[in-house]
Amino acid sequence: MSPALQGLITIAVGVGGCLSYFYFSNLFLDKVLFPARGPNAGRNINRANMIRPWLFLAPALIALGLYLAYPVVETMRLSLTERIPGGGYRWVGLDNYRQMFREAKFWEAMRNNMLWLIVVPAASTAFGLLVAQLTDRIRWGSFAKSLIFMPMAISFVGAAVIFKLVYDTRPIEQQQIGILNALWLQFDGGAGSWALLKAIPSLILAGFAALSGFVGWLVLRPVIAGRFHSFGTPARIVATAASAALVVLSLRGIVELVGADFNYGAPQTWLTVPFWNSLFLMVVLIWIQTGFAMVILSAALRGIPEETIEAAIVDGAGPFQIFFQIKVPQIMGTIVVVWTTITLVVLKVFDIVFAMTNGQWETQVLANYMFDKLFRANNWGVGSASAMIIMLLVTPILVWNVYNARKEMR
Amino acid sequence: MSNIAGSRSALNWVVHLSVLGLVLLWLFPTVGLFVSSFRTADQISTSGWWKALFPSEQNLTLRATDPGNVEQLEEGGRWFISGNLFDEGVDASVSVWGVSSRDIAAFTPGDTADLGDGEVITVEANGDYVWSGAVKLEGRGQRVFATATTPPEFTFGNYRTVLFSKSTTDSMAKAFFNTLTVTIPATIIPIVIAAFAAYALAWMNFPGRAILIAIIVGLLVVPLQLALIPLLRLHLGIGIGKGYLGVWLAHTGFGLPLAIYLLRNYMVGLPRDIIENAKVDGATDFQIFTKIILPLSFPALASFAIFQFLWTWNDLLVAKVFLIDATGETTVMTNQIVELLGTRGGNWEILATAAFVSIAVPLAVFFAMQKYLVRGLLAGSVK
């Protein structure tokens, strides 16, 4: 049977099956099980209404349980067992974890994931905020936004191809077809190169460090002032620590950048230079996620009460003061949401690394490490263990989201 | 006062220019791939795509027609061959030329080069040449090294190869239909299931509702990496194996938390009066749901449908684990592109075109239904 026909039948069976399930189970409940007539009509209606929600929920709950809840438990179990050649499983306790912790490749993946976790959400949120603010008041703003938003529709694999072309390398005697190398060959190590490759990036990094420090300070201020909150205070301290880490990283980056000895005049194979290649992979995700951050932050900026800004203007605040001291504090909640959402994407990043380097040249990340263990090494124990590590990293965000959702429903 | 106004307008210019810069920066990589998909393999490997938009100056090695292939004119004791160095339809202009690879810029158009043994050749700017010798010319046609400016040139050949050729590695036609086959049921089925559940969570009172909502918010962020092995074992165990049914079920399961969450948030906001009036009039929950809630929830349904469509269309991991078996018959486009990256990493004309074919559909959906996508994003995140 042709897959297209099979697809059509599945749609018909799936949709029709769902609808008829809902229709007939309701009918059964109302007409046969607890009919709303006879001596017990009132009691029957109440009983039917107690059962009906579960009829509506049943297919979803079964699917969720089977496809998301059960796998979490099962993966945890698998991570503590080992496959016996020939079939069956053996309980091995924490051996899989021990074996994984001994592997250099795992720690490389952890290191890279941490780097991704710091750089990508920060850069995407910063760019998103920048674009949201810049396009807020200009006439072609929505057009500009939709173009920057566009990469959201492009698959990670498509983006990987797009950026592979950007990073392409040809031997020195041929013309470069990758734009990055073509630009790179324009630099000769003179004053212009120094200004463009060292001074300006250092300034940007310094600005970024200042911004992170400032944000960290804003977040920490209520804690210093002594306002204690059972959940907020630890979260604020974690956020401050993260921004402090960003400051340190950017300052170290400046030092390294100024001291770096660039290989001018030779085309670079960008994806094989350790550390930098991870950054080049991150660029792909930043390129995709900035649009997401921009859309949400832009809506948040629009939602700021006009009076607060007018009052600031009357008091003589400049554009930068208005942005950093009036607008940003008011949308801090949204910035946190954007940040955590992008963090979740980063934790699961797989396709980009898989398609561009497949973890070679020290670009491994956890999700790709896991895929490698599962389907290439066929080691389900260690693969499950690394999946549990991803789950562990996601858990704080999970708790935070559930906490917020509950708070909001009250 | 005028001072302030002046700085305002300067700032305004800075804003416009920085937005323009950012937009161009964001667009540039995609445009590169798009332009490359319309160039031949030769063009792509000899010059950067950004040069394809302008007339380019190239160093060409051309050859006059072989004397064996044309009739030679004899005039005044000399034998002549004349013609054009370029292929028919090429609109190029020669700026300098030469007859030796050591000195390719020896002559300007209109000059006559002495080839020795009484042979001379004259080349004009448009490629016309006259080649003559004291005896009848023979052997191969004279080589001419020309620096020529050729206008931009584009071709649909790559798309023909990728879409219609019978080649199993290059043709994306099968993968395109496979992707479509995965995507449509995987988009529609979760909507139906989620809509009923969302209605129950939004408008029905029952014990445990708050806990259920909290659980769904929690499941929203569970990485699907955790589900790979247990579900693959489950599918293999109950006989579904690797195939479309498995991938549809998996996408349905993975899409449900977001679907329920988005739809419930939207349905909660619908006006209470309508629903209560309907109840007073004797409508059952099933009727209220199908006749009132579903039509009113269209924007939220559309939002989720777009999310799920983009996500299933662009997915690689789920397809690789649950769908694609050893035969490769059921490969999807993302997977085929990754394979092309491995086997034909240097063939940018095929890669770029294949990637663009896979990007085109989501891009069209994106631009057509951006409004709903933005609405869904806002409903899903800012709560």
Side-chain angles (χ1 to χ4, degrees), chain A residues 241-253:
Chain A
S243 52
L246 280 179
V247 174
V248 172
L249 268 181
S250 358
L251 293 180
R252 250 183 58 190

Side-chain angles (χ1 to χ4, degrees), chain A residues 37-118:
Chain A
R37 57 187 135 74
N40 298 328
R43 202 193 66 187
N44 276 354
I45 290 179
N46 281 342
R47 283 195 177 166
N49 282 341
M50 270 173 68
I51 293 181
R52 200 183 327 276
W54 300 101
L55 283 185
F56 274 54
L57 283 166
L61 290 186
I62 292 170
L64 285 177
L66 197 58
Y67 277 84
L68 286 166
Y70 154 75
V72 174
V73 180
E74 177 70 3
T75 303
M76 193 182 303
R77 192 182 72 81
L78 281 175
S79 76
L80 301 172
T81 60
E82 184 183 55
R83 256 205 298 198
I84 303 166
Y89 292 86
R90 189 174 53 206
W91 183 262
V92 292
L94 293 173
D95 274 6
N96 289 322
Y97 290 90
R98 265 183 230 121
Q99 187 192 339
M100 185 171 70
F101 291 151
R102 275 199 301 271
E103 272 184 47
K105 210 62 184 162
F106 168 75
W107 289 110
E108 178 196 315
M110 278 298 264
R111 243 193 341 269
N112 281 331
N113 249 45
M114 290 305 141
L115 198 62
W116 278 76
L117 276 182
I118 293 170

Side-chain angles (χ1 to χ4, degrees), chain B residues 211-224:
Chain B
I211 306 256
L212 270 185
I213 297 173
I215 290 176
I216 284 166
V217 172
L219 290 179
L220 212 48
V221 302
V222 168
L224 69 90

